[in-house]
Amino acid sequence: MHRHDMGRSGRLTTGLHHARRLTRVAAACALSLMGVLAAPAAWAATTAVDGAEAEAVKQRFEARFDGLKATAVNPTPYGLYEVQLDDELVYVDPEVNFVLNGSLIDAKTREDVTRARKEALSAIDFSDLPTELSIRQVKGDGSRQVAIFEDPNCGYCKALRKTLEEVDNLTIHTFLLPILGPDSVTKATNVWCAKDQGKVWDEWMLKGRTPAQASCDAPLQDWTALARTLNIRGTPAVFFEDGTRVAGAMPLDMFNSRLERASQAAQ
């Protein structure tokens, strides 16, 4: 996935900076993942907690890591506390003596708890997307929907476009997000201002045919503002009908699986 500084707030930048610091902290004092999940009643006894205890953990965490503000702190069924740092997650014990910075795996179900939780936290209401700012393309009956944020010079976006060639009965809402430099802005503007936006976009992304020069009032600032609101940090960013998202390109089987799951949830 191509990443670019989207000009996020100083608070978020600070949070991510400290999150990187936590990587070094975790290397020295992280809990053994499987040990945590296999631990007996000593861990389980800490799961029945209330808001006051979670707030106490939050205060301990912020005191332990001076200058790092937790967005939220919640108990988990695993005896740990989940600490949200904007869009990042770490886990701590009740006394904040240990930090787990990485994926938490449920040993019984093999589920990546962290990934599932991040999906839930980052989910949106698909119907709230301002699709008037997107290029709409309908394949087959268009019964399923997906929204994609793409930069015209993003190689991973082009790979995803080739994958989508194999998918039918799909409505694609493409939000142009030219973040990779001035040439991306020029190409995005030319595509948006073209008479047949979808055709010109596909010819560029799939066949390498440079969009002809065109001029109009392209909503460049609206695209950028929307990406910031949705906390999009790179392209492609894919949103499914159930509100979940995937950052980056994905193989066909994964895309179809996510698409089917999202379509069933939206019915």
Side-chain angles (χ1 to χ4, degrees):
M1 179 177 71
H2 280 111
R3 292 183 178 273
H4 183 81
D5 182 2
M6 295 296 297
R8 303 172 71 192
S9 68
R11 178 176 177 275
L12 178 54
T13 300
T14 301
L16 291 176
H17 170 72
H18 286 293
R20 286 192 291 270
R21 285 174 50 200
L22 279 177
T23 300
R24 297 192 293 272
V25 174
C29 64
L31 293 167
S32 170
L33 178 60
M34 296 311 294
V36 168
L37 297 182
W43 282 109
T46 66
T47 60
V49 296
D50 56 22
E53 292 183 65
E55 178 61 27
V57 172
K58 181 175 184 291
Q59 292 177 6
R60 293 187 196 109
F61 180 88
E62 292 177 348
R64 183 82 70 182
F65 300 98
D66 185 34
L68 184 56
K69 298 297 182 182
T71 308
V73 174
N74 296 293
T76 75
Y78 305 97
L80 299 174
Y81 285 84
E82 169 198 275
V83 180
Q84 296 178 34
L85 303 172
D86 292 301
D87 59 350
E88 299 296 327
L89 295 178
V90 297
Y91 303 91
V92 299
D93 67 297
E95 297 302 318
V96 196
N97 290 322
F98 299 94
V99 178
L100 173 62
N101 186 18
S103 291
L104 184 65
I105 308 298
D106 187 313
K108 291 183 178 180
T109 66
R110 301 298 192 268
E111 179 187 16
D112 187 330
V113 176
T114 303
R115 183 174 64 184
R117 179 66 171 151
K118 283 185 175 181
E119 281 192 4
L121 291 172
S122 66
I124 65 168
D125 187 335
F126 192 88
S127 64
D128 285 342
L129 288 171
T131 53
E132 67 275 8
L133 297 176
S134 72
I135 298 171
R136 184 174 180 269
Q137 296 170 287
V138 179
K139 303 181 66 176
D141 63 18
S143 56
R144 302 175 295 179
Q145 295 190 80
V146 67
I148 311 175
F149 287 75
E150 301 181 78
D151 182 293
N153 288 322
C154 164
Y156 294 106
C157 300
K158 293 177 181 179
L160 179 60
R161 280 285 154 174
K162 291 182 180 179
T163 297
L164 294 183
E165 286 287 276
E166 305 297 322
V167 182
D168 202 7
N169 299 328
L170 179 66
T171 297
I172 306 170
H173 303 280
T174 301
F175 291 86
L176 301 178
L177 189 58
I179 58 176
L180 297 179
D183 183 66
S184 291
V185 174
T186 298
K187 284 189 172 70
T189 300
N190 291 338
V191 170
W192 181 259
C193 298
K195 290 184 178 180
D196 190 336
Q197 298 171 327
K199 180 180 179 181
V200 173
W201 180 246
D202 281 347
E203 286 184 344
W204 165 245
M205 298 297 281
L206 296 171
K207 302 176 183 178
R209 296 175 183 169
T210 303
Q213 184 173 354
S215 61
C216 69
D217 188 15
L220 296 168
Q221 293 184 352
D222 292 333
W223 289 328
T224 301
L226 178 60
R228 286 174 178 162
T229 298
L230 297 175
N231 197 23
I232 294 172
R233 298 162 60 188
T235 56
V238 184
F239 290 84
F240 295 92
E241 276 188 278
D242 61 354
T244 60
R245 72 175 76 188
V246 170
M250 65 197 89
L252 180 61
D253 57 348
M254 177 181 175
F255 182 87
N256 280 332
S257 175
R258 295 295 298 263
L259 184 65
E260 183 63 24
R261 186 181 76 182
S263 298
Q264 291 178 356
Q267 290 177 358

mmCIF file of all heavy atoms in Angstrom, residues 24 27-28 116 136 138 212 225:
data_model
loop_
_atom_site.group_PDB
_atom_site.id
_atom_site.type_symbol
_atom_site.label_atom_id
_atom_site.label_comp_id
_atom_site.label_asym_id
_atom_site.label_seq_id
_atom_site.Cartn_x
_atom_site.Cartn_y
_atom_site.Cartn_z
ATOM 1 N N ARG A 24 9.691 -0.338 21.112
ATOM 2 C CA ARG A 24 10.936 -0.597 21.832
ATOM 3 C C ARG A 24 10.660 -1.024 23.268
ATOM 4 O O ARG A 24 11.332 -1.880 23.811
ATOM 5 C CB ARG A 24 11.805 0.669 21.799
ATOM 6 C CG ARG A 24 12.238 1.070 20.403
ATOM 7 C CD ARG A 24 13.319 2.144 20.452
ATOM 8 N NE ARG A 24 12.811 3.401 20.970
ATOM 9 C CZ ARG A 24 12.255 4.343 20.218
ATOM 10 N NH1 ARG A 24 12.116 4.151 18.917
ATOM 11 N NH2 ARG A 24 11.835 5.483 20.757
ATOM 12 N N ALA A 27 9.570 -4.627 23.325
ATOM 13 C CA ALA A 27 10.649 -5.577 23.089
ATOM 14 C C ALA A 27 11.302 -5.986 24.408
ATOM 15 O O ALA A 27 11.796 -7.104 24.554
ATOM 16 C CB ALA A 27 11.696 -4.966 22.163
ATOM 17 N N ALA A 28 11.277 -5.086 25.371
ATOM 18 C CA ALA A 28 11.908 -5.376 26.655
ATOM 19 C C ALA A 28 10.968 -6.010 27.653
ATOM 20 O O ALA A 28 11.394 -6.781 28.512
ATOM 21 C CB ALA A 28 12.484 -4.079 27.238
ATOM 22 N N ALA A 116 -9.552 -8.133 14.095
ATOM 23 C CA ALA A 116 -11.009 -8.050 14.122
ATOM 24 C C ALA A 116 -11.475 -6.809 14.874
ATOM 25 O O ALA A 116 -12.432 -6.133 14.463
ATOM 26 C CB ALA A 116 -11.592 -9.306 14.771
ATOM 27 N N ARG A 136 -18.514 6.316 -10.669
ATOM 28 C CA ARG A 136 -19.381 5.143 -10.495
ATOM 29 C C ARG A 136 -19.313 4.253 -11.725
ATOM 30 O O ARG A 136 -19.555 4.697 -12.842
ATOM 31 C CB ARG A 136 -20.818 5.585 -10.238
ATOM 32 C CG ARG A 136 -21.799 4.453 -9.953
ATOM 33 C CD ARG A 136 -23.156 5.025 -9.558
ATOM 34 N NE ARG A 136 -24.134 3.994 -9.262
ATOM 35 C CZ ARG A 136 -24.958 3.463 -10.167
ATOM 36 N NH1 ARG A 136 -24.931 3.902 -11.427
ATOM 37 N NH2 ARG A 136 -25.823 2.522 -9.824
ATOM 38 N N VAL A 138 -20.550 0.308 -13.075
ATOM 39 C CA VAL A 138 -21.433 -0.830 -12.798
ATOM 40 C C VAL A 138 -21.029 -2.007 -13.680
ATOM 41 O O VAL A 138 -20.951 -1.889 -14.901
ATOM 42 C CB VAL A 138 -22.913 -0.473 -13.036
ATOM 43 C CG1 VAL A 138 -23.794 -1.687 -12.762
ATOM 44 C CG2 VAL A 138 -23.326 0.703 -12.155
ATOM 45 N N ALA A 212 -6.272 12.218 -21.445
ATOM 46 C CA ALA A 212 -6.141 13.461 -22.212
ATOM 47 C C ALA A 212 -6.362 14.647 -21.296
ATOM 48 O O ALA A 212 -7.101 14.555 -20.298
ATOM 49 C CB ALA A 212 -7.150 13.477 -23.357
ATOM 50 N N ALA A 225 -10.096 15.962 2.238
ATOM 51 C CA ALA A 225 -10.798 16.113 3.517
ATOM 52 C C ALA A 225 -11.526 14.831 3.893
ATOM 53 O O ALA A 225 -11.532 14.422 5.062
ATOM 54 C CB ALA A 225 -11.782 17.286 3.431
#
